[in-house]
Amino acid sequence: MLFTLKKIVGGLLLPLPLLLLLMAVGLLLLWFSRWQKSGKIFVSVAWIMLFSLSLQPIADSLLRPLEQRYPTYNQTDPVEFIVVLGGGYTWNPAWAPSSNLIGNSLPRVTEGVRQWRMHPGAKMIFTGAPALSNPVSNAEVAARVARSLGVPSADIIQLDQPRDTDDEALAVKQIVAQRPFLLVTSANHMPRAMTFFHHQGLMPIAAPANQMAIDSPLNWWEKALPAPLWLSHSERAVYERLGALWQSLNGKTAGDGMISQAAPLADKRE
């Protein structure tokens, strides 16, 4: 129940639903009340914020600090495990395997497979429970994609029970114990994921995927015109900051000991 409530409240606090709700309040005030000025303020503020968050310079300036915390991992030092966290997915057996991974999931799996090729002998661990009424788990769908890309079943471990990153860290702990491992997730999600895994006393090595904030030059109209793509970048930035706030309120933070243990690994990658 708490998990569902957390997802509903978190979803309502994301930019698009929240700003549409503010606009709805403003319209109700304009049409059905005497508080015309308040209604105009609600609508105007929501419109300005929605427009701003749909612009590339603003959206990516919010997202970039999260994605730059951990660089792309290109080391070939031996590791025993590569953990790929679950994300968005669906299930249609008639589709190509990769088509069932949506949003951030496919880049995570492809980066995990790239790391597996760089680290012969490593086991890939895929995480993620089934979505509501879905007969196939997130972990299973990701594993099928990995197999379609050449990873043998003997090198794949599925954890089909975790529903969120906190659960994933606890489940992974039962397998890897105190051994270092590569942790693959979206670059914007990596800071929060690393904190969850450090909280469990684990030793993850960040291997971020799916960087989205654009640094290459864009045409001026691409920066000046609002677009759903840029709004989605703002949404990811807001989602991760809300998640970090909830994480902090629940005390799911790493102690000084775990931060100091992770530092040499970070220095080595740089």
Side-chain angles (χ1 to χ4, degrees):
M1 183 64 182
L2 180 60
F3 176 83
T4 302
L5 181 61
K6 179 182 71 171
K7 291 297 183 181
I8 293 174
V9 173
L12 289 175
L13 292 176
L14 292 177
L16 184 59
L18 178 61
L19 295 177
L20 288 176
L21 181 61
L22 288 178
M23 287 185 187
V25 171
L27 290 172
L28 288 173
L29 292 176
L30 285 172
W31 282 92
F32 302 108
S33 79
R34 293 174 295 177
W35 294 296
Q36 299 292 299
K37 185 176 181 180
S38 296
K40 293 176 182 178
I41 291 174
F42 271 94
V43 173
S44 299
V45 169
W47 186 90
I48 291 171
M49 291 183 65
L50 185 60
F51 177 83
S52 300
L53 292 174
S54 300
L55 296 175
Q56 185 272 332
I58 294 176
D60 284 354
S61 68
L62 295 174
L63 190 61
R64 190 173 290 107
L66 295 172
E67 295 191 339
Q68 291 180 339
R69 289 277 298 277
Y70 296 95
T72 299
Y73 187 78
N74 288 312
Q75 303 296 324
T76 56
D77 299 340
V79 293
E80 294 184 51
F81 300 100
I82 301 168
V83 176
V84 181
L85 300 187
Y89 85 107
T90 185
W91 175 243
N92 186 330
W95 290 357
S98 61
S99 296
N100 287 297
L101 293 179
I102 59 179
N104 51 24
S105 288
L106 184 57
R108 296 181 185 185
V109 172
T110 54
E111 176 61 14
V113 172
R114 185 180 80 92
Q115 295 294 343
W116 173 79
R117 296 187 183 280
M118 293 171 59
H119 299 86
K123 302 293 185 183
M124 297 193 72
I125 301 177
F126 293 103
T127 67
L132 291 177
S133 71
N134 199 319
V136 179
S137 72
N138 195 325
E140 169 64 20
V141 172
R144 291 186 185 213
V145 174
R147 286 193 289 269
S148 75
L149 296 176
V151 182
S153 297
D155 284 350
I156 292 176
I157 300 171
Q158 294 176 209
L159 299 178
D160 300 294
Q161 299 304 315
R163 297 189 299 170
D164 57 20
T165 312
D166 194 11
D167 289 348
E168 288 171 321
L170 184 59
V172 169
K173 182 178 181 179
Q174 312 307 314
I175 296 175
V176 305
Q178 294 302 309
R179 291 168 288 186
F181 60 94
L182 296 187
L183 178 62
V184 180
T185 189
S186 301
N188 59 71
H189 179 239
M190 187 63 77
R192 193 158 59 94
M194 290 289 281
T195 299
F196 274 123
F197 279 79
H198 284 150
H199 180 74
Q200 291 295 337
L202 298 172
M203 300 174 62
I205 303 170
N210 195 32
Q211 290 88 344
M212 298 191 298
I214 293 176
D215 293 315
S216 58
L218 294 173
N219 295 310
W220 67 266
W221 59 84
E222 293 177 290
K223 295 183 178 182
L225 295 177
L229 175 62
W230 313 131
L231 181 60
S232 72
H233 288 194
S234 293
E235 180 183 84
R236 289 306 308 171
V238 171
Y239 180 89
E240 286 302 324
R241 286 176 171 85
L242 288 172
L245 176 61
W246 179 256
Q247 188 178 46
S248 179
L249 292 174
N250 281 276
K252 301 289 185 176
T253 56
D256 294 337
M258 285 312 304
I259 293 173
S260 64
Q261 289 177 23
L265 294 173
D267 293 339
K268 188 173 186 179
R269 292 197 302 276
E270 294 173 357

